[in-house]
Amino acid sequence: FGSRLQSRTLPSGFEFTGAASAQRMGRHRGGGSAPSLDDLNREQKVKLMRLMSRDELFQTAGIVNVLLLLVVILKVPQVYWVVHVISSFVYLPWRFVRFSRDNCELYMLDFCYMATYITVVGCMLCFIRVELGYTTIFHQWNNLLIRAGFTFSGGSLAWSVVIFKNSLVFYNIDQMTSVFIHLSPAVFFWCLRWGGGYGVVSMEEWWPGYFDICPGADMAKVDSCLEWPRTAWCDACPAHWADFTWKPAIVYMVAWAVPYALLIFGCLRGWIERSQKETLYSFILGDSKKSAYIRALPEALWPLGYMMQHFAVNIILGVFTMLFWHSFLAHTIFGVLVIVACIHNGSTYTFRVFGINYARDLLAENASAFEEGSMCQKLKRRPSMSGYEPLAGTEAGEDPEE
């Protein structure tokens, strides 16, 4: 599986590099053997630097994007839902195209994606109801859906960042998309529940009638939950334990589990096998640790075991979100810790995976561009205060066109 995907980031956030990278080295475009970094002459080093320009652009765009998100979250969290919706129309189509290329677009039917779709559709329906005056049948379940979404986003989606090692890697669009899918809904519901620290009243003032997060509650008391010591626990915004247990379980079954099981294990099963489509189910079965419980069952019951395992994880992790609903302090600390884990995963990826494989794999994929010219001049990389000096024969900041 990892070899076929050739070291591409999976929805889970894992990277497959070992055998996949080795195959890429021997199966690059243009055939032949891939050149070594030590064999490049000056002209070829400039070519290599030019090939890096796209990733340099992604790095710049990624940093700018995160900085702008921080400004929105800290200064105007009331508009984060707009950013969330717009971002989904960038990241999700991009991922579909890339996954279709690798025959694994069915990953986008998995629960984490579905939860993101629901948040986007929900926001759009709120806009339609208020601005255009058209109310759908879903509005009668607004209170239920908001608390179910809060449970999913603060539970299984947020924990997926840790479990699947999602990484904040600015220059890797696949990594950034995985972070968006699992983290952005959690940030959205944090902004919705607490007004991003400015209070629910501020959300209502910005978007009157849109979300109605605490129906029937005294808004002054609700916002007092942001004052110490009520930041530790406050029940001014009504929510029962059922809102974070069996009610989200019903939404989970109706909105995703039953339709997904019927499609993947029923209607589309033959087509999936014939087309060799990859799914999260096949990925989990390929991991002996994650599929230990499933494989303990008879093979005919593996699909049922997978769905039961998925259901149990979602419900167990969702129970803790009751604390987050009533505690601004706990919810904020949890969110910060998840973001720190995401940043740390990005640092680990950069030094342990990207730093080792990047130039080598870039050469392997574009070997035909380096087949002409002298291959005798040696590349020298010497440690420096910034990590490494530029490629020998070039200067830092040198324009490859010069």
Side-chain angles (χ1 to χ4, degrees), residues 77-110:
Q78 300 86 353
V79 301
Y80 184 81
W81 73 269
V82 179
V83 176
H84 176 70
V85 171
I86 294 174
S87 298
S88 70
F89 284 100
V90 176
Y91 285 117
L92 295 177
W94 192 312
R95 169 143 290 187
F96 178 77
V97 171
R98 294 172 71 85
F99 274 15
S100 297
R101 181 191 63 191
D102 292 304
N103 209 33
C104 57
E105 65 272 19
L106 292 182
Y107 274 109
M108 299 191 69
L109 295 179
D110 289 319

PDB file of all heavy atoms in Angstrom, residues 77-110:
ATOM      1  N   PRO A  77     -12.673  36.274  15.974  1.00  0.00           N
ATOM      2  CA  PRO A  77     -13.094  34.861  15.874  1.00  0.00           C
ATOM      3  C   PRO A  77     -14.526  34.703  15.381  1.00  0.00           C
ATOM      4  O   PRO A  77     -14.916  33.616  14.956  1.00  0.00           O
ATOM      5  CB  PRO A  77     -12.946  34.355  17.319  1.00  0.00           C
ATOM      6  CG  PRO A  77     -13.051  35.584  18.166  1.00  0.00           C
ATOM      7  CD  PRO A  77     -12.407  36.672  17.370  1.00  0.00           C
ATOM      8  N   GLN A  78     -15.297  35.788  15.416  1.00  0.00           N
ATOM      9  CA  GLN A  78     -16.685  35.719  14.960  1.00  0.00           C
ATOM     10  C   GLN A  78     -16.781  35.402  13.469  1.00  0.00           C
ATOM     11  O   GLN A  78     -17.823  34.937  12.995  1.00  0.00           O
ATOM     12  CB  GLN A  78     -17.404  37.039  15.245  1.00  0.00           C
ATOM     13  CG  GLN A  78     -17.462  37.428  16.710  1.00  0.00           C
ATOM     14  CD  GLN A  78     -16.214  38.187  17.181  1.00  0.00           C
ATOM     15  OE1 GLN A  78     -15.235  38.314  16.453  1.00  0.00           O
ATOM     16  NE2 GLN A  78     -16.266  38.709  18.404  1.00  0.00           N
ATOM     17  N   VAL A  79     -15.711  35.641  12.710  1.00  0.00           N
ATOM     18  CA  VAL A  79     -15.763  35.381  11.261  1.00  0.00           C
ATOM     19  C   VAL A  79     -15.016  34.102  10.891  1.00  0.00           C
ATOM     20  O   VAL A  79     -14.837  33.818   9.708  1.00  0.00           O
ATOM     21  CB  VAL A  79     -15.185  36.572  10.460  1.00  0.00           C
ATOM     22  CG1 VAL A  79     -15.965  37.838  10.749  1.00  0.00           C
ATOM     23  CG2 VAL A  79     -13.702  36.770  10.735  1.00  0.00           C
ATOM     24  N   TYR A  80     -14.592  33.333  11.902  1.00  0.00           N
ATOM     25  CA  TYR A  80     -13.836  32.125  11.565  1.00  0.00           C
ATOM     26  C   TYR A  80     -14.668  31.148  10.746  1.00  0.00           C
ATOM     27  O   TYR A  80     -14.137  30.439   9.888  1.00  0.00           O
ATOM     28  CB  TYR A  80     -13.318  31.424  12.817  1.00  0.00           C
ATOM     29  CG  TYR A  80     -12.452  30.235  12.462  1.00  0.00           C
ATOM     30  CD1 TYR A  80     -11.114  30.417  12.114  1.00  0.00           C
ATOM     31  CD2 TYR A  80     -12.977  28.943  12.424  1.00  0.00           C
ATOM     32  CE1 TYR A  80     -10.323  29.344  11.734  1.00  0.00           C
ATOM     33  CE2 TYR A  80     -12.189  27.866  12.053  1.00  0.00           C
ATOM     34  CZ  TYR A  80     -10.873  28.073  11.704  1.00  0.00           C
ATOM     35  OH  TYR A  80     -10.097  27.009  11.317  1.00  0.00           O
ATOM     36  N   TRP A  81     -15.986  31.096  11.014  1.00  0.00           N
ATOM     37  CA  TRP A  81     -16.809  30.163  10.248  1.00  0.00           C
ATOM     38  C   TRP A  81     -16.754  30.482   8.753  1.00  0.00           C
ATOM     39  O   TRP A  81     -16.823  29.568   7.916  1.00  0.00           O
ATOM     40  CB  TRP A  81     -18.256  30.178  10.765  1.00  0.00           C
ATOM     41  CG  TRP A  81     -19.062  31.394  10.428  1.00  0.00           C
ATOM     42  CD1 TRP A  81     -19.186  32.533  11.156  1.00  0.00           C
ATOM     43  CD2 TRP A  81     -19.885  31.571   9.270  1.00  0.00           C
ATOM     44  NE1 TRP A  81     -20.022  33.428  10.543  1.00  0.00           N
ATOM     45  CE2 TRP A  81     -20.478  32.849   9.375  1.00  0.00           C
ATOM     46  CE3 TRP A  81     -20.202  30.783   8.156  1.00  0.00           C
ATOM     47  CZ2 TRP A  81     -21.347  33.363   8.404  1.00  0.00           C
ATOM     48  CZ3 TRP A  81     -21.067  31.286   7.189  1.00  0.00           C
ATOM     49  CH2 TRP A  81     -21.629  32.554   7.318  1.00  0.00           C
ATOM     50  N   VAL A  82     -16.630  31.747   8.402  1.00  0.00           N
ATOM     51  CA  VAL A  82     -16.516  32.138   6.993  1.00  0.00           C
ATOM     52  C   VAL A  82     -15.199  31.608   6.420  1.00  0.00           C
ATOM     53  O   VAL A  82     -15.158  31.056   5.305  1.00  0.00           O
ATOM     54  CB  VAL A  82     -16.597  33.667   6.838  1.00  0.00           C
ATOM     55  CG1 VAL A  82     -16.456  34.065   5.377  1.00  0.00           C
ATOM     56  CG2 VAL A  82     -17.898  34.193   7.422  1.00  0.00           C
ATOM     57  N   VAL A  83     -14.116  31.768   7.177  1.00  0.00           N
ATOM     58  CA  VAL A  83     -12.811  31.265   6.756  1.00  0.00           C
ATOM     59  C   VAL A  83     -12.855  29.743   6.605  1.00  0.00           C
ATOM     60  O   VAL A  83     -12.302  29.180   5.654  1.00  0.00           O
ATOM     61  CB  VAL A  83     -11.721  31.668   7.773  1.00  0.00           C
ATOM     62  CG1 VAL A  83     -10.376  31.057   7.399  1.00  0.00           C
ATOM     63  CG2 VAL A  83     -11.620  33.184   7.873  1.00  0.00           C
ATOM     64  N   HIS A  84     -13.525  29.079   7.545  1.00  0.00           N
ATOM     65  CA  HIS A  84     -13.648  27.624   7.512  1.00  0.00           C
ATOM     66  C   HIS A  84     -14.355  27.163   6.238  1.00  0.00           C
ATOM     67  O   HIS A  84     -13.905  26.208   5.576  1.00  0.00           O
ATOM     68  CB  HIS A  84     -14.419  27.164   8.751  1.00  0.00           C
ATOM     69  CG  HIS A  84     -14.696  25.702   8.802  1.00  0.00           C
ATOM     70  ND1 HIS A  84     -13.706  24.762   9.004  1.00  0.00           N
ATOM     71  CD2 HIS A  84     -15.865  24.997   8.664  1.00  0.00           C
ATOM     72  CE1 HIS A  84     -14.243  23.545   9.001  1.00  0.00           C
ATOM     73  NE2 HIS A  84     -15.545  23.671   8.801  1.00  0.00           N
ATOM     74  N   VAL A  85     -15.424  27.828   5.872  1.00  0.00           N
ATOM     75  CA  VAL A  85     -16.180  27.451   4.671  1.00  0.00           C
ATOM     76  C   VAL A  85     -15.347  27.687   3.417  1.00  0.00           C
ATOM     77  O   VAL A  85     -15.261  26.821   2.534  1.00  0.00           O
ATOM     78  CB  VAL A  85     -17.506  28.238   4.603  1.00  0.00           C
ATOM     79  CG1 VAL A  85     -18.184  28.021   3.251  1.00  0.00           C
ATOM     80  CG2 VAL A  85     -18.439  27.808   5.728  1.00  0.00           C
ATOM     81  N   ILE A  86     -14.723  28.854   3.335  1.00  0.00           N
ATOM     82  CA  ILE A  86     -13.908  29.168   2.156  1.00  0.00           C
ATOM     83  C   ILE A  86     -12.743  28.193   2.022  1.00  0.00           C
ATOM     84  O   ILE A  86     -12.439  27.693   0.923  1.00  0.00           O
ATOM     85  CB  ILE A  86     -13.402  30.621   2.232  1.00  0.00           C
ATOM     86  CG1 ILE A  86     -14.570  31.599   2.134  1.00  0.00           C
ATOM     87  CG2 ILE A  86     -12.381  30.899   1.123  1.00  0.00           C
ATOM     88  CD1 ILE A  86     -14.185  33.054   2.347  1.00  0.00           C
ATOM     89  N   SER A  87     -12.085  27.901   3.137  1.00  0.00           N
ATOM     90  CA  SER A  87     -10.941  26.981   3.114  1.00  0.00           C
ATOM     91  C   SER A  87     -11.345  25.589   2.645  1.00  0.00           C
ATOM     92  O   SER A  87     -10.584  24.903   1.952  1.00  0.00           O
ATOM     93  CB  SER A  87     -10.305  26.897   4.503  1.00  0.00           C
ATOM     94  OG  SER A  87      -9.803  28.149   4.917  1.00  0.00           O
ATOM     95  N   SER A  88     -12.551  25.170   3.016  1.00  0.00           N
ATOM     96  CA  SER A  88     -13.009  23.836   2.614  1.00  0.00           C
ATOM     97  C   SER A  88     -13.134  23.733   1.100  1.00  0.00           C
ATOM     98  O   SER A  88     -12.902  22.663   0.528  1.00  0.00           O
ATOM     99  CB  SER A  88     -14.350  23.512   3.275  1.00  0.00           C
ATOM    100  OG  SER A  88     -15.394  24.303   2.732  1.00  0.00           O
ATOM    101  N   PHE A  89     -13.464  24.845   0.441  1.00  0.00           N
ATOM    102  CA  PHE A  89     -13.595  24.835  -1.013  1.00  0.00           C
ATOM    103  C   PHE A  89     -12.238  24.913  -1.710  1.00  0.00           C
ATOM    104  O   PHE A  89     -12.170  24.839  -2.944  1.00  0.00           O
ATOM    105  CB  PHE A  89     -14.494  25.987  -1.476  1.00  0.00           C
ATOM    106  CG  PHE A  89     -15.952  25.740  -1.245  1.00  0.00           C
ATOM    107  CD1 PHE A  89     -16.608  26.295  -0.164  1.00  0.00           C
ATOM    108  CD2 PHE A  89     -16.673  24.922  -2.104  1.00  0.00           C
ATOM    109  CE1 PHE A  89     -17.954  26.055   0.065  1.00  0.00           C
ATOM    110  CE2 PHE A  89     -18.020  24.668  -1.890  1.00  0.00           C
ATOM    111  CZ  PHE A  89     -18.666  25.241  -0.804  1.00  0.00           C
ATOM    112  N   VAL A  90     -11.187  25.062  -0.934  1.00  0.00           N
ATOM    113  CA  VAL A  90      -9.831  25.012  -1.474  1.00  0.00           C
ATOM    114  C   VAL A  90      -9.203  23.651  -1.192  1.00  0.00           C
ATOM    115  O   VAL A  90      -8.756  22.952  -2.110  1.00  0.00           O
ATOM    116  CB  VAL A  90      -8.954  26.132  -0.871  1.00  0.00           C
ATOM    117  CG1 VAL A  90      -7.511  25.998  -1.361  1.00  0.00           C
ATOM    118  CG2 VAL A  90      -9.517  27.504  -1.215  1.00  0.00           C
ATOM    119  N   TYR A  91      -9.200  23.255   0.071  1.00  0.00           N
ATOM    120  CA  TYR A  91      -8.520  22.026   0.470  1.00  0.00           C
ATOM    121  C   TYR A  91      -9.203  20.757  -0.036  1.00  0.00           C
ATOM    122  O   TYR A  91      -8.543  19.827  -0.508  1.00  0.00           O
ATOM    123  CB  TYR A  91      -8.415  21.961   1.996  1.00  0.00           C
ATOM    124  CG  TYR A  91      -7.376  22.867   2.593  1.00  0.00           C
ATOM    125  CD1 TYR A  91      -7.742  23.905   3.449  1.00  0.00           C
ATOM    126  CD2 TYR A  91      -6.021  22.678   2.322  1.00  0.00           C
ATOM    127  CE1 TYR A  91      -6.789  24.743   4.015  1.00  0.00           C
ATOM    128  CE2 TYR A  91      -5.067  23.510   2.880  1.00  0.00           C
ATOM    129  CZ  TYR A  91      -5.454  24.543   3.723  1.00  0.00           C
ATOM    130  OH  TYR A  91      -4.506  25.363   4.274  1.00  0.00           O
ATOM    131  N   LEU A  92     -10.520  20.681   0.085  1.00  0.00           N
ATOM    132  CA  LEU A  92     -11.219  19.434  -0.226  1.00  0.00           C
ATOM    133  C   LEU A  92     -11.189  19.085  -1.712  1.00  0.00           C
ATOM    134  O   LEU A  92     -10.892  17.931  -2.063  1.00  0.00           O
ATOM    135  CB  LEU A  92     -12.649  19.497   0.305  1.00  0.00           C
ATOM    136  CG  LEU A  92     -12.751  19.581   1.836  1.00  0.00           C
ATOM    137  CD1 LEU A  92     -14.203  19.718   2.276  1.00  0.00           C
ATOM    138  CD2 LEU A  92     -12.120  18.362   2.494  1.00  0.00           C
ATOM    139  N   PRO A  93     -11.474  20.009  -2.636  1.00  0.00           N
ATOM    140  CA  PRO A  93     -11.332  19.655  -4.061  1.00  0.00           C
ATOM    141  C   PRO A  93      -9.893  19.294  -4.419  1.00  0.00           C
ATOM    142  O   PRO A  93      -9.663  18.379  -5.231  1.00  0.00           O
ATOM    143  CB  PRO A  93     -11.780  20.933  -4.789  1.00  0.00           C
ATOM    144  CG  PRO A  93     -12.671  21.633  -3.815  1.00  0.00           C
ATOM    145  CD  PRO A  93     -12.071  21.354  -2.472  1.00  0.00           C
ATOM    146  N   TRP A  94      -8.934  20.009  -3.831  1.00  0.00           N
ATOM    147  CA  TRP A  94      -7.528  19.706  -4.091  1.00  0.00           C
ATOM    148  C   TRP A  94      -7.233  18.273  -3.673  1.00  0.00           C
ATOM    149  O   TRP A  94      -6.591  17.526  -4.411  1.00  0.00           O
ATOM    150  CB  TRP A  94      -6.651  20.682  -3.318  1.00  0.00           C
ATOM    151  CG  TRP A  94      -5.199  20.665  -3.707  1.00  0.00           C
ATOM    152  CD1 TRP A  94      -4.388  19.582  -3.864  1.00  0.00           C
ATOM    153  CD2 TRP A  94      -4.386  21.798  -3.999  1.00  0.00           C
ATOM    154  NE1 TRP A  94      -3.114  19.953  -4.213  1.00  0.00           N
ATOM    155  CE2 TRP A  94      -3.087  21.320  -4.303  1.00  0.00           C
ATOM    156  CE3 TRP A  94      -4.620  23.171  -4.005  1.00  0.00           C
ATOM    157  CZ2 TRP A  94      -2.041  22.174  -4.625  1.00  0.00           C
ATOM    158  CZ3 TRP A  94      -3.565  24.012  -4.325  1.00  0.00           C
ATOM    159  CH2 TRP A  94      -2.299  23.514  -4.637  1.00  0.00           C
ATOM    160  N   ARG A  95      -7.698  17.890  -2.496  1.00  0.00           N
ATOM    161  CA  ARG A  95      -7.446  16.526  -2.018  1.00  0.00           C
ATOM    162  C   ARG A  95      -8.141  15.490  -2.893  1.00  0.00           C
ATOM    163  O   ARG A  95      -7.597  14.422  -3.152  1.00  0.00           O
ATOM    164  CB  ARG A  95      -7.892  16.374  -0.574  1.00  0.00           C
ATOM    165  CG  ARG A  95      -7.906  14.941  -0.079  1.00  0.00           C
ATOM    166  CD  ARG A  95      -7.476  14.798   1.350  1.00  0.00           C
ATOM    167  NE  ARG A  95      -6.077  15.052   1.556  1.00  0.00           N
ATOM    168  CZ  ARG A  95      -5.452  14.854   2.721  1.00  0.00           C
ATOM    169  NH1 ARG A  95      -6.129  14.412   3.775  1.00  0.00           N
ATOM    170  NH2 ARG A  95      -4.174  15.110   2.846  1.00  0.00           N
ATOM    171  N   PHE A  96      -9.350  15.781  -3.339  1.00  0.00           N
ATOM    172  CA  PHE A  96     -10.061  14.827  -4.186  1.00  0.00           C
ATOM    173  C   PHE A  96      -9.278  14.550  -5.464  1.00  0.00           C
ATOM    174  O   PHE A  96      -9.156  13.395  -5.895  1.00  0.00           O
ATOM    175  CB  PHE A  96     -11.452  15.356  -4.537  1.00  0.00           C
ATOM    176  CG  PHE A  96     -12.216  14.445  -5.455  1.00  0.00           C
ATOM    177  CD1 PHE A  96     -12.816  13.289  -4.970  1.00  0.00           C
ATOM    178  CD2 PHE A  96     -12.316  14.734  -6.806  1.00  0.00           C
ATOM    179  CE1 PHE A  96     -13.509  12.436  -5.822  1.00  0.00           C
ATOM    180  CE2 PHE A  96     -13.001  13.888  -7.661  1.00  0.00           C
ATOM    181  CZ  PHE A  96     -13.596  12.741  -7.172  1.00  0.00           C
ATOM    182  N   VAL A  97      -8.753  15.593  -6.074  1.00  0.00           N
ATOM    183  CA  VAL A  97      -7.973  15.419  -7.305  1.00  0.00           C
ATOM    184  C   VAL A  97      -6.739  14.568  -7.042  1.00  0.00           C
ATOM    185  O   VAL A  97      -6.426  13.635  -7.805  1.00  0.00           O
ATOM    186  CB  VAL A  97      -7.569  16.793  -7.890  1.00  0.00           C
ATOM    187  CG1 VAL A  97      -6.570  16.617  -9.027  1.00  0.00           C
ATOM    188  CG2 VAL A  97      -8.803  17.552  -8.363  1.00  0.00           C
ATOM    189  N   ARG A  98      -6.039  14.852  -5.970  1.00  0.00           N
ATOM    190  CA  ARG A  98      -4.812  14.113  -5.663  1.00  0.00           C
ATOM    191  C   ARG A  98      -5.118  12.668  -5.271  1.00  0.00           C
ATOM    192  O   ARG A  98      -4.390  11.748  -5.642  1.00  0.00           O
ATOM    193  CB  ARG A  98      -4.047  14.830  -4.544  1.00  0.00           C
ATOM    194  CG  ARG A  98      -3.521  16.191  -4.956  1.00  0.00           C
ATOM    195  CD  ARG A  98      -2.937  16.947  -3.784  1.00  0.00           C
ATOM    196  NE  ARG A  98      -1.687  16.390  -3.308  1.00  0.00           N
ATOM    197  CZ  ARG A  98      -0.486  16.668  -3.808  1.00  0.00           C
ATOM    198  NH1 ARG A  98      -0.398  17.487  -4.841  1.00  0.00           N
ATOM    199  NH2 ARG A  98       0.592  16.139  -3.295  1.00  0.00           N
ATOM    200  N   PHE A  99      -6.194  12.455  -4.526  1.00  0.00           N
ATOM    201  CA  PHE A  99      -6.549  11.096  -4.135  1.00  0.00           C
ATOM    202  C   PHE A  99      -7.071  10.289  -5.324  1.00  0.00           C
ATOM    203  O   PHE A  99      -6.835   9.088  -5.412  1.00  0.00           O
ATOM    204  CB  PHE A  99      -7.592  11.130  -3.025  1.00  0.00           C
ATOM    205  CG  PHE A  99      -6.998  11.257  -1.655  1.00  0.00           C
ATOM    206  CD1 PHE A  99      -5.686  11.646  -1.480  1.00  0.00           C
ATOM    207  CD2 PHE A  99      -7.765  10.993  -0.528  1.00  0.00           C
ATOM    208  CE1 PHE A  99      -5.138  11.767  -0.216  1.00  0.00           C
ATOM    209  CE2 PHE A  99      -7.227  11.105   0.750  1.00  0.00           C
ATOM    210  CZ  PHE A  99      -5.902  11.500   0.891  1.00  0.00           C
ATOM    211  N   SER A 100      -7.791  10.942  -6.226  1.00  0.00           N
ATOM    212  CA  SER A 100      -8.276  10.249  -7.417  1.00  0.00           C
ATOM    213  C   SER A 100      -7.107   9.736  -8.247  1.00  0.00           C
ATOM    214  O   SER A 100      -7.171   8.643  -8.826  1.00  0.00           O
ATOM    215  CB  SER A 100      -9.139  11.187  -8.260  1.00  0.00           C
ATOM    216  OG  SER A 100     -10.293  11.587  -7.546  1.00  0.00           O
ATOM    217  N   ARG A 101      -6.070  10.505  -8.287  1.00  0.00           N
ATOM    218  CA  ARG A 101      -4.872  10.112  -9.029  1.00  0.00           C
ATOM    219  C   ARG A 101      -4.264   8.837  -8.462  1.00  0.00           C
ATOM    220  O   ARG A 101      -3.698   8.026  -9.193  1.00  0.00           O
ATOM    221  CB  ARG A 101      -3.842  11.250  -8.961  1.00  0.00           C
ATOM    222  CG  ARG A 101      -2.543  10.996  -9.713  1.00  0.00           C
ATOM    223  CD  ARG A 101      -1.526  12.061  -9.340  1.00  0.00           C
ATOM    224  NE  ARG A 101      -1.185  11.999  -7.922  1.00  0.00           N
ATOM    225  CZ  ARG A 101      -0.487  12.941  -7.284  1.00  0.00           C
ATOM    226  NH1 ARG A 101      -0.123  14.024  -7.927  1.00  0.00           N
ATOM    227  NH2 ARG A 101      -0.211  12.796  -6.006  1.00  0.00           N
ATOM    228  N   ASP A 102      -4.400   8.626  -7.161  1.00  0.00           N
ATOM    229  CA  ASP A 102      -3.802   7.467  -6.509  1.00  0.00           C
ATOM    230  C   ASP A 102      -4.824   6.386  -6.151  1.00  0.00           C
ATOM    231  O   ASP A 102      -4.543   5.502  -5.351  1.00  0.00           O
ATOM    232  CB  ASP A 102      -3.061   7.906  -5.242  1.00  0.00           C
ATOM    233  CG  ASP A 102      -1.830   8.731  -5.552  1.00  0.00           C
ATOM    234  OD1 ASP A 102      -0.979   8.244  -6.305  1.00  0.00           O
ATOM    235  OD2 ASP A 102      -1.742   9.861  -5.053  1.00  0.00           O
ATOM    236  N   ASN A 103      -6.034   6.510  -6.735  1.00  0.00           N
ATOM    237  CA  ASN A 103      -7.042   5.457  -6.595  1.00  0.00           C
ATOM    238  C   ASN A 103      -7.535   5.292  -5.160  1.00  0.00           C
ATOM    239  O   ASN A 103      -7.923   4.195  -4.749  1.00  0.00           O
ATOM    240  CB  ASN A 103      -6.492   4.113  -7.099  1.00  0.00           C
ATOM    241  CG  ASN A 103      -7.588   3.214  -7.644  1.00  0.00           C
ATOM    242  OD1 ASN A 103      -8.574   3.693  -8.212  1.00  0.00           O
ATOM    243  ND2 ASN A 103      -7.444   1.915  -7.464  1.00  0.00           N
ATOM    244  N   CYS A 104      -7.534   6.362  -4.390  1.00  0.00           N
ATOM    245  CA  CYS A 104      -8.002   6.246  -3.001  1.00  0.00           C
ATOM    246  C   CYS A 104      -8.949   7.396  -2.628  1.00  0.00           C
ATOM    247  O   CYS A 104      -8.970   7.852  -1.490  1.00  0.00           O
ATOM    248  CB  CYS A 104      -6.821   6.187  -2.041  1.00  0.00           C
ATOM    249  SG  CYS A 104      -5.708   7.580  -2.141  1.00  0.00           S
ATOM    250  N   GLU A 105      -9.734   7.841  -3.608  1.00  0.00           N
ATOM    251  CA  GLU A 105     -10.663   8.937  -3.343  1.00  0.00           C
ATOM    252  C   GLU A 105     -11.777   8.550  -2.381  1.00  0.00           C
ATOM    253  O   GLU A 105     -12.457   9.417  -1.823  1.00  0.00           O
ATOM    254  CB  GLU A 105     -11.268   9.465  -4.651  1.00  0.00           C
ATOM    255  CG  GLU A 105     -12.140   8.479  -5.407  1.00  0.00           C
ATOM    256  CD  GLU A 105     -11.352   7.602  -6.368  1.00  0.00           C
ATOM    257  OE1 GLU A 105     -10.114   7.492  -6.202  1.00  0.00           O
ATOM    258  OE2 GLU A 105     -11.974   7.031  -7.275  1.00  0.00           O
ATOM    259  N   LEU A 106     -11.980   7.236  -2.150  1.00  0.00           N
ATOM    260  CA  LEU A 106     -13.021   6.806  -1.213  1.00  0.00           C
ATOM    261  C   LEU A 106     -12.682   7.152   0.236  1.00  0.00           C
ATOM    262  O   LEU A 106     -13.550   7.060   1.107  1.00  0.00           O
ATOM    263  CB  LEU A 106     -13.270   5.306  -1.351  1.00  0.00           C
ATOM    264  CG  LEU A 106     -13.906   4.867  -2.674  1.00  0.00           C
ATOM    265  CD1 LEU A 106     -14.147   3.373  -2.681  1.00  0.00           C
ATOM    266  CD2 LEU A 106     -15.214   5.608  -2.924  1.00  0.00           C
ATOM    267  N   TYR A 107     -11.450   7.525   0.497  1.00  0.00           N
ATOM    268  CA  TYR A 107     -11.116   8.030   1.830  1.00  0.00           C
ATOM    269  C   TYR A 107     -11.996   9.233   2.183  1.00  0.00           C
ATOM    270  O   TYR A 107     -12.267   9.488   3.354  1.00  0.00           O
ATOM    271  CB  TYR A 107      -9.657   8.470   1.890  1.00  0.00           C
ATOM    272  CG  TYR A 107      -8.676   7.368   2.198  1.00  0.00           C
ATOM    273  CD1 TYR A 107      -7.818   6.890   1.209  1.00  0.00           C
ATOM    274  CD2 TYR A 107      -8.605   6.801   3.459  1.00  0.00           C
ATOM    275  CE1 TYR A 107      -6.911   5.878   1.485  1.00  0.00           C
ATOM    276  CE2 TYR A 107      -7.703   5.792   3.743  1.00  0.00           C
ATOM    277  CZ  TYR A 107      -6.858   5.336   2.757  1.00  0.00           C
ATOM    278  OH  TYR A 107      -5.971   4.335   3.031  1.00  0.00           O
ATOM    279  N   MET A 108     -12.432   9.960   1.161  1.00  0.00           N
ATOM    280  CA  MET A 108     -13.183  11.178   1.409  1.00  0.00           C
ATOM    281  C   MET A 108     -14.633  10.907   1.802  1.00  0.00           C
ATOM    282  O   MET A 108     -15.415  11.849   1.991  1.00  0.00           O
ATOM    283  CB  MET A 108     -13.100  12.093   0.187  1.00  0.00           C
ATOM    284  CG  MET A 108     -11.671  12.509  -0.124  1.00  0.00           C
ATOM    285  SD  MET A 108     -11.523  13.824  -1.329  1.00  0.00           S
ATOM    286  CE  MET A 108     -12.174  15.222  -0.422  1.00  0.00           C
ATOM    287  N   LEU A 109     -14.990   9.631   1.923  1.00  0.00           N
ATOM    288  CA  LEU A 109     -16.290   9.264   2.484  1.00  0.00           C
ATOM    289  C   LEU A 109     -16.188   8.927   3.966  1.00  0.00           C
ATOM    290  O   LEU A 109     -17.201   8.622   4.598  1.00  0.00           O
ATOM    291  CB  LEU A 109     -16.871   8.058   1.732  1.00  0.00           C
ATOM    292  CG  LEU A 109     -17.229   8.273   0.262  1.00  0.00           C
ATOM    293  CD1 LEU A 109     -17.766   6.979  -0.339  1.00  0.00           C
ATOM    294  CD2 LEU A 109     -18.244   9.397   0.100  1.00  0.00           C
ATOM    295  N   ASP A 110     -14.970   8.965   4.510  1.00  0.00           N
ATOM    296  CA  ASP A 110     -14.780   8.588   5.912  1.00  0.00           C
ATOM    297  C   ASP A 110     -15.340   9.647   6.851  1.00  0.00           C
ATOM    298  O   ASP A 110     -15.621  10.783   6.458  1.00  0.00           O
ATOM    299  CB  ASP A 110     -13.300   8.346   6.202  1.00  0.00           C
ATOM    300  CG  ASP A 110     -12.805   7.064   5.549  1.00  0.00           C
ATOM    301  OD1 ASP A 110     -13.550   6.076   5.574  1.00  0.00           O
ATOM    302  OD2 ASP A 110     -11.688   7.071   4.996  1.00  0.00           O
TER     303      ASP A 110
END
